[in-house]
Each structure stands twice: as C-alpha cells, then as structure tokens.
C-alpha cells in the first residue's frame, strides 16, 4: 500500500465514513478501502451477491469476509443480528479450508464484526472510527483482511490488533467461553484455576480472581507464547508443543515458555484450533523490530484501567524506565540486575538494551553478549500472566541477537514470591510452604536445598521419575539423599513426594514441577552468592486499607520487623511498596548494592515513609542517595483516558550505608503528549531542575464557595493554581456558606492534589477527605 494514499486519501475516507454517508457513497468508500488499503483486486470483490437460496443479498463480499451496509447502526443493529447468520453460513460454503468467515456491518461511523460459533452468531468486535487517527481503522481491520508480515509492532498497533476491542480477542473470547463450559470442572483444570487464584491473592492482597479474568489471562498467555515462537521464525504445528515450551526447548531456549495454568483449552474439543488461529494472528508483526515493552500495552488494553488502579497495577512508561536504568546501572556489562516485581518486563527490556549497546561498543562477540544478558538481568513476579509477558519481553529485547544465541539459552525470569511470604523458620534452617488448593496440607520444601539450584533440579528430576513409575516414598527419599541432599532434607522431600503421588492419582497433576521450580527461585536468588548489584523496578502500590484481613496482619508484622510500622491514624496509609524496599534490600541486594524504585511521591516526604528515609530501619541499613520528583509530570499513571491522578517519585538507596537523604533532589516538570510517550518526546517537553528535598508538604488554600461548586485557589510549592470542584456531599451547604474564609485541609493518601499537576483537574479529588477549620488556621497540611 502506497504511503501517499495513507497520508493523502485515507483521512478523507475516514472523515466521510464518520458522517454516515448514503448507501452507494458508503459502498464506494468501502471498496476503495479494500482495494487500496488491503490490495483487493477489482475482480475479487462481489457486490449485491445473492445467497444460494435467493433469500437475500450480500452488499459486499471479499473472500471469507461479508460486509453489510447500513444507514445508521444505532437503529438497525437488530436487523443485522437477524440477517448476518445467513450471510455467514452462505459465505462459509465457498471459503478456503481453515479460513474463518467474518461478517462486518457498518454505517461508516461504526463497524461491528461477527462470526459463527457452532452455528450461533457471536459478536467479536466493535470499532468507532476516529477522524483524528485514520490509520487505526486499518490496524483494527488488519487481523481480518491482511495477514502480511509487514506491521511495525508499536504499542498502539499491538493493542488495536489484540486488545479487548480487537477482532482477535472477540473471536477468541467467544471460543474460550464455550471451551470453559466443556472442561471447567475437570479436576486438573480446576486445580490450575485454584492455584492461579491463590497467586493472585498474594499479588493483590485480596480475592480478585474470577472465571472471566481467568479466560482473559488464558488468551494473553496463548498469544505471548505464540509471539515467542514467531521471534524465532518457528512454525507452530502442534499447539501442545508451543504451550508447553517444547517448541522453544528444541531450539535450545529454556525458561521462555513453560507448561503452566493456561494450557487447559487443549483438553476441550476445538482447543487446538483456537491456539492455531491465535498463533496465526501474530505473523503480521515484525517482532524483532520492537523498540519498547509492547506487551505491557497489550495487557493494559485488556484489563480495565480502573480495575488496574484499584489493584495497584501502575505499569511504568518506557521513557521513565529507560531513564532509571541509565541512572542506576552505570556498568551494565559488570552489574547483576534484579527486578523483584518485574510485571511485563519493562525494566528488564531497557536493562538488556543498555547491556547490549555497551557490549557492542566494547566489541564483545554477539554470542557472548547474549550469555552476559542471561547472567546479568533477572526478573521475578508472582503474577503468572506478568511472568509470561516478561519472559517474552526479555526475549524480544535481544532483537536480532536472538539468532546469535549460544546452544543453550535460559531466560532468567521466574514466577515466584519475592517477598517470600511462605518461607517459615524450621530450627536452624527454613522451609518453603506451597499451598495445595482447595484444602490439602501444603507441600514442604527445605529452603537450604532450594538455594542450591543444581541439587534442587536433581531432586525435581527424582520426584518426576517417581511419579512416572509410581515409586514408593522411601525409594525417592533414598535417591534424593544419594544426589547430595542432607538426611533431613531428603526425609522432608520423601514426605512431599507421598503428597504429590496422591495428587497424581487424584488427577491433579501436570503442574507441580512448574510450581515448585518457579516458586522456589526467590530462595535461590536470595542466597549471598546470587544477590544483585542493582535492585530496580516499580513494586506494587497497595495501601493497607485495601488488603484482606489476613494480608493486613502479614504486612503489619513484616513492617514491624523492619521498624517501618507507624500505626495510629497513619496505619491505613502504610503501603506494600515499603516492604519491597526493605525486604528487597535485605534478601536480594549485595553489600553496597543500589536500589532504584519507582514509588508514590509520598515516599519523599510523608510521615508514613519516614523510617525508610531517616535511617531508623532495622535488619538492614539503606541510605537514601538520591530522589526524583515527578509530581509535576503529567500524565504518568492513572486511567488510559489521561486522568493521571497519582503523584510519583523515584527513590535511590545504597545498602549498608548510613546517613540522611541529600539536601536536594531532581525534579522534572512538563506535560507529555501521552502517557506512553517515547524517550525523545519526553526529553523534548520535560524541564529539569534541582530543588530542596521536599519537607512535609504544606498548602495554602482559599475557598470561594457557591451553591453548587467551590472555587479553590492554592499556593503550592511556590506556584499558584486555581480550579473548581463540586460541593462535597459530607458538607452541608449552610455550613459551607458560613466557612467562606475557611481552609480546606487535603489528605490525598499519596495521590497528590490537583495543584500538583500542571493542569488542575477536578476529578483528582475522587478520594479527598475534607475537614473545615476556623479562619485563623490559614495553613493546611497534607500527608502526601
């Protein structure tokens, strides 16, 4: 397709379509779109084609795609639903084998997509044309009409192709629902879903799992595993080989793809076909040309933005991750880097790209660069889907170097609990408890053995061999002892094998090797010989009041052990990210190692984080050596609509060093063109300055109170802002009128007030607490 047509003519077509033109005008626009946009030959297009039984006519047909033209879908969608099944059934008779027939209905402004699933009409997507971004119409249609491998994998292109409004997701989700109804109660499938649910409770501190979310995660995981295969130009013949990781293992790549919770569709009729069709969708992208963490955008496009906010899921923009990596890793060829909450792998991606660039500049051979990557850049996350994304992101970061890999390449990204909640003292040693849902006793693994990777792998091999032969527990105990385990450790694993054997005989198997190998990795990484020089990332931001009762108890006791628990009126503002700072430094960082974590802005100055800053932390010493204030950069986090309401900072620390924070910190100010701005765009608009380290923030606010709203003028950090907000329900109008000279005291719980943004936005006050004081109290204080 000529670039001139995209730039000159496509915008006009999209503008005309948005106006809902008359029937024949719309036909002309659609015809041009198919011919110029997707290379349809004039002879291939059929207009007003009669159905075989002469019961109706298809407006436009091209191969396996039928298009119904309407005047206004807001009124005529019911007619489409009634007629489309006949059109699709007719078209499927003449389509090529293995090609899915798809129906489109459009009035120009809106496109609706449908397919038949076992004879039932299923909606698989909707797109409302965007005159400001005409090229997105082609991106949305490409999964249907253009399987040509020429698409640049930008975040927007990937989200449009595979996100929750995409045709690919619409088709797959309908099929997944049908497959789930068939095998959802299978013992093995139920076990995998329960284990997944248990891990999510660790991630979010509450019960958030649902069947709908499990299906979304299944879709995502299948997709990213297919992407991993495409990076290596591998043909996907056997879906089971792809999902289990055998396809990549045969090429010498281990750890990038593993059998996990999400291969359950293979147990259902048609599951193989679903996996193949999803894999086929990925062929259009030039995957070795990625410049950023595109899989993060895919995840964000599937999960509701407000839900991600409530769960503490703030995925770091690439421009910020790249800057943190540059500052924290000055010697990338030498330093060992760990992200203990790696998410989709954004920090891993940029750490690898920095290492690769340093290796090339130093003249290091390509194969040696790849080996260094595997030995230097590690990730952990307890979220099973995040790990699947991060592993493939790690592989994508290699780019063309993936062709120069050594004979065996192990991707060092693990599904594990970096906070080690299940590590329990056992005499002079410790053990790791692995939950067995729904109510079985936990599996017990000796922590000492788990910290020896070679011995632990040999023990796992013995457990697997024992299950294959239904061996006796005593024989397994003896074999593990011969492999080098202590008498006590071998005895414990003999007992664990007895439990595994019962699960095997009960049909709840084929997952435990994956679980044990991954969940024990944090123990190995916390061994003094394996600790990192740099701990980097963006840990979960989940405040105490949003946790389950059980997780509240755990967090409180853990923070107390580091002397970080504040309690009192500030107890509800304690945050999980503080534990990542303390426990991460204690268990994963070498003496003199550096932390660089993206945190709420409150970490710089709020009383609830004082223990992190003032040197009062126990069990491990960490001195603050630097900080970045990003509270005046917008947008960074928040809803995809751009209503970024979360103030942010980056905190740098050094282990086993004492001292107060520096007198000054770095501050950036500016408005980004979008939340996922590029590094170049961020560099162009962000201004840098040095400023005094922020003390506990104080805001001077004056209120002008009307009947329906409040006009607020605020003096904040030397700047004056004004904005309006609705009258709070908690304050009666009469009381507000009497408080004309009162001062609003804002407690933002780490979110940052609207005045911290270059553009004041009233919706930043969705969680503001209000209290009214007499006119003599002219200064209000904030805990943020």
């Amino acid at each position: 397709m000529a670039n001139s047509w995209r730039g000159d003519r496509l915008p006009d077509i999209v503008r005309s379509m948005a106006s809902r033109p008359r029937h024949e005008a719309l036909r002309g626009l659609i015809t041009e779109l198919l011919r110029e946009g997707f290379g349809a030959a004039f002879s291939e297009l059929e207009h007003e084609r009669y159905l075989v039984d002469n019961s109706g006519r298809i407006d436009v047909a091209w191969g396996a795609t039928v298009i119904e033209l309407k005047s206004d879908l807001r009124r005529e969608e019911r007619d489409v639903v009634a007629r489309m099944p006949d059109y699709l059934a007719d078209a499927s008779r003449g389509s090529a084998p293995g090609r899915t027939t798809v129906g489109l209905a459009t009035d120009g402004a809106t496109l609706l997509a449908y397919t038949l699933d076992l004879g039932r009409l299923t909606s698989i997507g909707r797109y409302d044309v965007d005159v400001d971004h005409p090229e997105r119409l082609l991106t949305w249609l490409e999964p249907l009409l253009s399987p040509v491998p020429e698409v640049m994998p930008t975040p927007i292109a990937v989200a449009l192709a595979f996100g929750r409004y995409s045709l690919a997701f619409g088709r797959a989700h309908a099929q997944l629902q049908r497959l789930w109804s068939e095998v959802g109660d299978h013992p093995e499938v139920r076990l995998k879903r329960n284990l997944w649910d248990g891990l999510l409770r660790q991630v979010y501190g509450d019960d958030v799992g649902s069947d709908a979310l499990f299906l979304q995660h299944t879709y995502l995981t299948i997709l990213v595993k297919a992407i991993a295969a495409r990076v290596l130009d591998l043909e996907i013949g056997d879906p089971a080989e792809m999902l289990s990781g055998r396809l990549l293992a045969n090429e010498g790549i281990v750890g990038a793809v593993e059998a996990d919770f999400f291969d359950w569709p293979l147990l259902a009729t048609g599951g193989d076909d679903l996996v193949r069709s999803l894999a086929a969708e990925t062929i259009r992208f030039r995957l070795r040309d990625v410049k950023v963490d595109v899989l993060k955008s895919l995840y964000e496009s599937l999960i509701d933005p407000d839900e991600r906010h409530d769960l503490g899921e703030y995925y770091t923009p690439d421009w910020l991750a790249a800057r943190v990596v540059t500052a924290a890793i000055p010697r990338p060829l030498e330093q060992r880097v760990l992200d203990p909450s790696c998410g989709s792998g954004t920090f891993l991606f940029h750490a690898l790209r920095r290492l690769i660039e340093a290796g090339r500049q130093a003249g290091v051979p390509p194969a040696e660069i790849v080996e260094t990557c595997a030995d230097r850049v590690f990730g952990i996350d307890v979220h099973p889907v995040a790990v699947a994304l991060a592993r493939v992101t790690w592989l994508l970061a290699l780019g063309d170097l993936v062709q120069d890999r050594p004979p065996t390449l192990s991707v060092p990204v693990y599904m594990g609990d970096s906070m080690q909640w299940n590590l329990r003292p056992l005499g002079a040693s410790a053990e790791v408890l692995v939950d067995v849902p729904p109510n079985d006793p936990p599996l017990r693994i000796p922590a000492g053995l788990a910290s020896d990777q070679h011995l632990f792998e040999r023990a796992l091999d013995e457990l697997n061999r024992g299950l294959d032969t239904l061996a006796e527990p005593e024989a397994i105990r003896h074999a593990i002892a011969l492999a080098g385990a202590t008498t006590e450790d071998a005895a414990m694993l003999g007992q664990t094998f007895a439990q595994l054997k019962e699960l095997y005989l009960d049909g709840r198997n084929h997952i435990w090797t994956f679980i044990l190998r991954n969940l024990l990795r944090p123990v190995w990484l916390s061994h003094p010989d394996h600790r990192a020089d740099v701990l980097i990332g963006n840990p979960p931001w989940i405040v105490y009041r949003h946790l389950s009762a059980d997780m509240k108890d755990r967090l409180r006791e853990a923070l107390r052990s580091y002397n970080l628990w504040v309690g009192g009126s500030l107890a509800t503002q304690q945050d999980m990210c503080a534990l990542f700072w303390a426990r991460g430094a204690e268990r994963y960082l070498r003496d003199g190692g550096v932390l660089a974590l993206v945190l709420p802005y409150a970490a710089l100055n709020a009383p609830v984080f004082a223990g992190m800053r003032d040197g009062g932390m126990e069990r491990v010493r960490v001195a603050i050596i630097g900080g970045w204030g990003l509270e005046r950069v917008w947008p960074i986090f928040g809803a995809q609509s751009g209503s970024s309401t979360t103030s942010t900072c980056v905190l740098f620390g050094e282990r086993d060093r004492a001292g107060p924070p520096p007198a000054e910190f770095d501050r950036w100010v500016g408005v980004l063109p979008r939340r996922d701005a590029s590094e170049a765009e961020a560099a162009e608009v962000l201004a840098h300055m040095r400023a005094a380290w922020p003390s506990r923030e104080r805001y001077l606010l004056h209120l002008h109170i009307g009947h329906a709203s409040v006009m607020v003028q605020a003096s904040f950090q030397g700047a004056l802002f004004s904005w309006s907000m609705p009258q709070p329900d908690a304050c009666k109008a009469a009381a507000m009128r009497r408080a004309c000279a009162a001062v609003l005291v804002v407690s933002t719980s780490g979110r940052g007030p609207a005045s911290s943004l270059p553009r004041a936005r009233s919706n930043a006050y969705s969680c503001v607490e209000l209290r009214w004081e007499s006119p003599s109290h002219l200064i209000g204080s904030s805990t943020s």
Side-chain angles (χ1 to χ4, degrees), residues 501-566:
K501 186 176 178 181
E502 290 182 13
L503 292 168
Y504 179 88
L505 295 174
D506 195 32
R508 294 186 288 161
N509 193 38
H510 302 110
I511 191 67
W512 294 111
T513 298
F514 165 75
I515 291 288
L516 295 177
R517 176 175 285 116
N518 280 276
L519 291 187
L520 274 295
R521 288 298 190 198
V523 177
W524 176 74
L525 285 167
S526 63
H527 189 279
D529 292 341
H530 307 142
R531 290 179 181 172
D533 300 296
V534 179
L535 205 69
I536 199 167
N538 179 0
W541 306 1
I542 309 179
V543 293
Y544 180 81
R545 62 182 177 273
H546 291 158
L547 299 173
S548 66
D550 176 63
M551 190 57 76
K552 284 179 179 177
D553 292 340
R554 286 183 171 191
L555 180 61
R556 182 174 59 251
E557 293 308 310
L559 290 176
R560 278 176 175 164
S561 72
Y562 292 100
N563 194 33
L564 292 179
W565 178 257
V566 179

Side-chain angles (χ1 to χ4, degrees), residues 298-310:
L298 173 58
Y299 180 85
E300 290 179 331
S301 70
L302 276 171
I303 309 301
D304 181 78
D306 292 331
E307 179 181 343
R308 286 190 286 106
H309 175 275
D310 293 342

Side-chain angles (χ1 to χ4, degrees), residues 36-51:
E36 301 296 333
F38 297 99
F42 183 80
S43 60
E44 296 171 343
L45 295 172
E46 299 178 84
H47 297 273
E48 302 291 343
R49 189 184 81 186
Y50 280 92
L51 301 183

Side-chain angles (χ1 to χ4, degrees), residues 3-226:
N3 287 331
S4 60
W5 181 85
R6 278 184 180 261
D8 300 337
R9 177 62 180 146
L10 180 60
D12 293 336
I13 291 175
V14 172
R15 276 193 294 271
S16 298
M17 289 177 62
S19 68
R20 295 188 173 88
R22 297 176 67 87
H23 193 276
E24 288 307 313
L26 180 58
R27 183 193 303 277
L29 295 171
I30 294 296
T31 299
E32 183 177 352
L33 196 67
L34 295 176
R35 294 189 63 189
E36 301 296 333
F38 297 99
F42 183 80
S43 60
E44 296 171 343
L45 295 172
E46 299 178 84
H47 297 273
E48 302 291 343
R49 189 184 81 186
Y50 280 92
L51 301 183
V52 173
D53 61 4
N54 289 321
S55 61
R57 290 183 299 180
I58 298 172
D59 288 324
V60 182
W62 182 41
T65 304
V66 298
I67 303 173
E68 176 75 355
L69 306 179
K70 292 295 182 184
S71 299
D72 193 334
L73 281 174
R74 292 171 295 187
R75 300 191 307 268
E76 298 175 284
E77 186 174 349
R78 183 175 298 180
D79 182 64
V80 171
V81 171
R83 294 175 179 271
M84 189 62 75
D86 293 336
Y87 297 161
L88 290 172
D90 184 88
S92 65
R93 297 188 185 102
S95 63
R99 184 80 185 272
T100 301
T101 304
V102 175
L104 290 175
T106 183
D107 58 5
T110 299
L111 291 90
L112 304 177
Y114 301 89
T115 190
L116 288 179
D117 185 13
L118 297 180
R120 182 173 59 86
L121 186 68
T122 302
S123 173
I124 60 172
R126 174 193 178 102
Y127 183 75
D128 296 311
V129 298
D130 184 348
V131 295
D132 294 325
H133 300 94
E135 72 285 351
R136 293 185 183 178
L137 173 60
L138 297 182
T139 303
W140 186 80
L141 286 169
E142 272 168 347
L144 280 178
L145 306 175
S146 181
V148 180
E150 63 175 1
V151 182
M152 186 68 183
T154 64
I156 290 175
V158 170
L160 284 171
F162 302 121
R164 60 177 161 162
Y165 299 116
S166 69
L167 298 172
F169 177 69
R171 282 188 294 202
H173 189 255
Q175 294 177 63
L176 284 169
Q177 288 178 311
R178 179 176 57 79
L179 300 179
W180 182 251
S181 67
E182 180 182 336
V183 299
D185 290 327
H186 187 285
E188 184 177 330
V189 176
R190 184 55 53 182
L191 171 66
K192 291 179 177 181
R193 191 223 179 277
N194 288 339
L195 286 167
W196 163 86
D197 188 51
L199 289 171
L200 291 195
R201 282 197 297 272
Q202 289 189 48
V203 175
Y204 303 123
D206 207 349
D207 187 8
V208 299
S210 66
D211 286 350
L213 187 60
F214 188 63
L215 297 190
Q216 283 186 332
H217 285 183
T218 299
Y219 164 80
L220 259 176
T221 305
I222 294 173
L223 200 57
V224 298
K225 289 181 177 182

